[in-house]
Amino acid sequence: MRELNSVPRLARPKDRPELEELWACSFHDDPARIRNFLHFMAQDDRTVVLEEDGNVVAAAYLLPCRIGLSGSFYPAYCLSAAATLPDYRNRGCMSRIIRYCKDLGAERGKDFLLAVPPENDLYRFFSQFGFRPCLTQKTLRCSRDQLAETVASLASPELSGAPEPDRTVIRQTAFAGLPFVDWDRAALKYIFFEHTWSGGKSILSADGYALYKKSGTTATVTELCAGSDPAALTGPLLRTGAEDFVLCLPAGSPAAGKRCQTGRAGMAVPLTKTGKTLQRQLKDLYIGFTL
């Protein structure tokens, strides 16, 4: 197997068909879903590709976000949909792309680069590049009787009486004081779209929301921001017909007690001096959604 000599670069408009093919080959997604992501979330100046033999053989997407720590926000990129064509795997393609992404993020003043590995083996792979596990998520299983009390503990009275804010404000208020990944308005809009596209349901109140998926008699709530009126979400959740509920929560949430199970949700590597200074504060960072 010959060594590759290519250097990663930013994408060009002409690469779009090959990026669609690479995604389809790697993730086997519906073509419409691929086109939606590339149209709404991918931009050439945040898409890193590796070209070999005149073709795009590997790529990754950088999604802008912020890390919220103690009321301050720090710019970051989240590495998404990293993929390599089968014939070019295990030849260092993704290693080169990750190093390029780290350098690019640092050059653009991003304090952190995040990654959400879907498999345990990939945690070991990313650790070679300085990534350390720091994103966690709690899951709480509760009955119908326990649901109202649990949701009430997540209320955000700060939003009471406010005009209907956009969901970015709702989310920032709900997780204020906790370390979390903050998505901008465009990303959050796409997240809701993607959730619905994949069969999920949404419950919206004046200043809160719940995203959930139901399987059998269990409803898994991917993210819940209770707002000032928890009952506005509890009632519709109970009317789904589910008997059991699984709530995905930040580690520091008031409802995240002893009954919760803790799982790792991703990794981060600091890119700047500021990022390195803040690295220790990233413990139990909540991301909620991944793209």
Side-chain angles (χ1 to χ4, degrees), residues 202-253:
S202 305
I203 300 172
L204 307 177
S205 65
D207 57 11
Y209 65 81
L211 303 186
Y212 73 94
K213 291 185 178 181
K214 188 169 178 284
S215 178
T217 61
T218 299
T220 299
V221 182
T222 308
E223 184 164 279
L224 188 149
C225 294
S228 60
D229 183 14
L233 301 179
T234 304
L237 282 171
L238 289 173
R239 290 193 290 274
T240 63
E243 295 298 326
D244 296 292
F245 297 85
V246 177
L247 306 183
C248 301
L249 304 168
S253 167

Side-chain angles (χ1 to χ4, degrees), residues 61-123:
Y61 304 86
L62 294 170
L63 305 181
C65 57
R66 301 188 301 173
I67 305 300
L69 295 172
S70 303
S72 298
F73 291 94
Y74 303 91
Y77 276 141
C78 185
L79 192 70
S80 180
T84 304
L85 287 175
D87 289 345
Y88 291 86
R89 291 172 187 167
N90 300 313
R91 298 170 69 179
C93 294
M94 196 50 58
S95 296
R96 296 183 187 193
I97 284 181
I98 292 172
R99 293 189 184 98
Y100 183 94
C101 289
K102 288 179 62 178
D103 290 342
L104 183 66
E107 179 183 319
R108 293 179 175 179
K110 305 299 180 181
D111 292 318
F112 300 98
L113 178 63
L114 310 181
V116 185
E119 302 170 4
N120 285 333
D121 286 348
L122 290 176
Y123 275 83

